[in-house]
Amino acid sequence: AHFEVSLYINNEQCAEKSSLSKLEHIIIAHLWIHFIVIILATTSVLLSLYNFYEVIKLNKYRKIIQKEKKQKKKIDNKILNESELISKPLNKWDICVIISNICQIIGSILGLLENDNMNGSIDIFIGFGTMLCYICLGKYLDYNTKYALLYQTLKRSVPNVIPFLIGIMPIFIGFTFLGLCLFWNSERFTNVTDVMKALYAIVNGDSVYDIIVDITDKDNFFGQVYGYLFTILFIVVVMNVFIAIL
């Protein structure tokens, strides 16, 4: 019996040691991953900043050359060749890369600190950094218009879409507060956030019938007027204009 008890204790100790060793290996692996991410992200940031520096320096040379041309002075051929390299402004992809790398660096540093109060911040920084890094892969698709169709569409339409969205926001907010005041006793219109979610669902064609039925049960006349007016304005008018802009 004594032998069996000692054997059981030894097995338990071995199991605890093996579990601890596995946990230590996982922690060490996570630490190495954080270190590698910090090194690679820092290198990427430095290269992007160096690229910015080169573009700014060449832009400065170009301004000097243009000034000398106006003054009808001789231009150094070496400076002229460097100035001809400037055909594009600062690369917007590099800005996105720098932001993503900074998020990854901050997230990895917080991960090395291993503070329980920072777990949410670690997830946010690493998540946004990873998302932006994958979005930045689109710069390698610019060489083929078929693959970069979405990026080119966004590039052309964003300057027109953003002012349009800003223009319709006052109308959307107005409908939000009107719905909050008229149908506050509805579960979908209890606060501003819920009202905006319900209206956004209507715009996307989701639960249109259920929401209109809900608000008409609270107030038959104003519920119908409010629901039909918002649906016609935003689905028929706003969405078609939005599609036309794209």
Side-chain angles (χ1 to χ4, degrees), residues 64-242:
I64 294 173
I65 291 171
Q66 291 176 350
K67 185 177 180 180
E68 289 181 351
K69 281 183 178 180
K70 291 180 181 180
Q71 296 176 356
K72 296 182 179 180
K73 292 182 179 180
K74 294 182 178 180
I75 303 173
D76 189 1
N77 291 328
K78 182 179 180 181
I79 298 178
L80 179 62
N81 293 331
E82 290 179 347
S83 66
E84 290 174 351
L85 296 175
I86 310 170
S87 58
K88 295 181 180 179
L90 294 175
N91 194 348
K92 297 178 181 179
W93 287 112
D94 288 337
I95 298 175
C96 185
V97 169
I98 290 174
I99 295 173
S100 65
N101 292 145
I102 290 174
C103 289
Q104 290 177 330
I105 292 171
I106 295 173
S108 296
I109 291 174
L110 294 178
L112 292 175
L113 297 177
E114 294 184 355
N115 191 340
D116 294 335
N117 295 327
M118 297 180 180
N119 288 333
S121 301
I122 294 171
D123 296 337
I124 291 172
F125 281 109
I126 293 179
F128 273 103
T130 305
M131 181 193 71
L132 292 175
C133 279
Y134 275 98
I135 291 175
C136 291
L137 292 177
K139 67 180 180 180
Y140 300 108
L141 302 177
D142 286 339
Y143 302 101
N144 192 323
T145 56
K146 294 181 180 179
Y147 297 131
L149 183 61
L150 176 61
Y151 291 93
Q152 292 177 357
T153 302
L154 292 175
K155 183 179 179 181
R156 291 193 300 265
S157 61
V158 164
N160 296 322
V161 169
I162 292 178
F164 177 71
L165 292 177
I166 295 174
I168 65 175
M169 281 305 295
I171 302 174
F172 186 83
I173 295 173
F175 271 96
T176 299
F177 284 103
L178 177 62
L180 181 63
C181 294
L182 294 177
F183 315 109
W184 56 270
N185 52 353
S186 172
E187 294 181 356
R188 291 186 172 92
F189 289 75
T190 54
N191 53 59
V192 176
T193 304
D194 290 339
V195 176
M196 295 181 72
K197 290 178 182 178
L199 295 181
Y200 183 75
I202 292 176
V203 172
N204 287 276
D206 184 22
S207 303
V208 178
Y209 177 79
D210 294 335
I211 295 173
I212 293 178
V213 169
D214 187 16
I215 60 178
T216 52
D217 288 340
K218 306 304 177 183
D219 191 316
N220 187 28
F221 176 75
F222 286 108
Q224 294 188 46
V225 173
Y226 180 86
Y228 296 146
L229 183 61
F230 181 83
T231 303
I232 293 172
L233 180 61
F234 276 84
I235 294 181
V236 178
V237 179
V238 173
M239 291 300 294
N240 283 291
V241 173
F242 187 79

